[in-house]
Amino acid sequence: MSSDFMGKLFALLCAILWATAVILFKKSGEKTSPTALNLFKSVVAVVFVFPLFLIEDVSSNIVQTDWAELWLLIISGIIGIAIADSLFFKSLNMIGAGLTAIVDCSYSPMTILLSYLFLSERISISMIGGSLLVALAVVIGAYQKGNRGLDASILESSASPW
């Protein structure tokens, strides 16, 4: 198989797996707190990823890295994942998968905009068009007839943010 075909196949599989994961996280979040769900997800990820480091012999690249920088990277990753994923799981509980997808969809356009502003990256018409098409697709997919916004009972039902 060509690398172009494999790239497209893996991109499609990634979208399918992520959609499946969001559905499973939503269902799990009905009975589990966002913090506990995040901790479980992180432990499972470490259990599956750590053997890959051993198989791929990543240690040769790590040895060349300054240990202070490596620890900063690890600590910032742990804090970032702990905060970001817990907030993501809480949003799934509060507003559902459809509206969370709309919020999550703002990631790519914001990355493009901030890359343009702070990194002087060039923005092509295809990047703008692609971002708009993805945003439009998510809004159309999440649209529910008769639902004109957040239901006040959703916000009142969760007094604690965690």
Side-chain angles (χ1 to χ4, degrees):
M1 287 188 206
S2 71
S3 60
D4 182 54
F5 176 77
M6 293 295 287
K8 291 174 182 175
L9 177 66
F10 288 141
L12 181 61
L13 287 173
C14 180
I16 291 169
L17 289 173
W18 177 244
T20 304
V22 169
I23 291 167
L24 294 174
F25 286 140
K26 172 67 176 144
K27 286 294 186 189
S28 299
E30 293 172 0
K31 297 182 180 182
T32 308
S33 74
T35 307
L37 188 57
N38 189 21
L39 181 62
F40 175 76
K41 176 215 40 104
S42 297
V43 168
V44 169
V46 167
V47 166
F48 282 106
V49 170
F50 185 73
L52 294 176
F53 281 104
L54 300 175
I55 293 169
E56 289 296 321
D57 193 27
V58 178
S59 61
S60 60
N61 293 330
I62 293 176
V63 172
Q64 299 169 358
T65 307
D66 180 28
W67 283 102
E69 292 178 1
L70 186 61
W71 279 111
L72 282 174
L73 179 66
I74 291 169
I75 291 168
S76 70
I78 290 170
I79 292 171
I81 289 172
I83 293 170
D85 286 357
S86 292
L87 290 174
F88 176 75
F89 294 147
K90 184 63 176 178
S91 74
L92 279 176
N93 292 346
M94 289 181 67
I95 63 175
L99 291 175
T100 299
I102 293 173
V103 173
D104 196 31
C105 183
S106 67
Y107 171 77
S108 293
M110 290 304 296
T111 301
I112 292 169
L113 177 65
L114 294 174
S115 295
Y116 172 75
L117 293 175
F118 294 112
L119 302 175
S120 302
E121 291 282 335
R122 292 181 179 223
I123 299 178
S124 68
I125 296 297
S126 63
M127 292 169 85
I128 293 170
S131 294
L132 292 175
L133 285 174
V134 169
L136 181 64
V138 171
V139 170
I140 290 171
Y143 176 76
Q144 295 175 0
K145 191 172 183 176
N147 187 5
R148 294 196 166 90
L150 278 177
D151 185 9
S153 64
I154 293 172
L155 298 175
E156 293 169 2
S157 67
S158 54
S160 169
W162 308 112

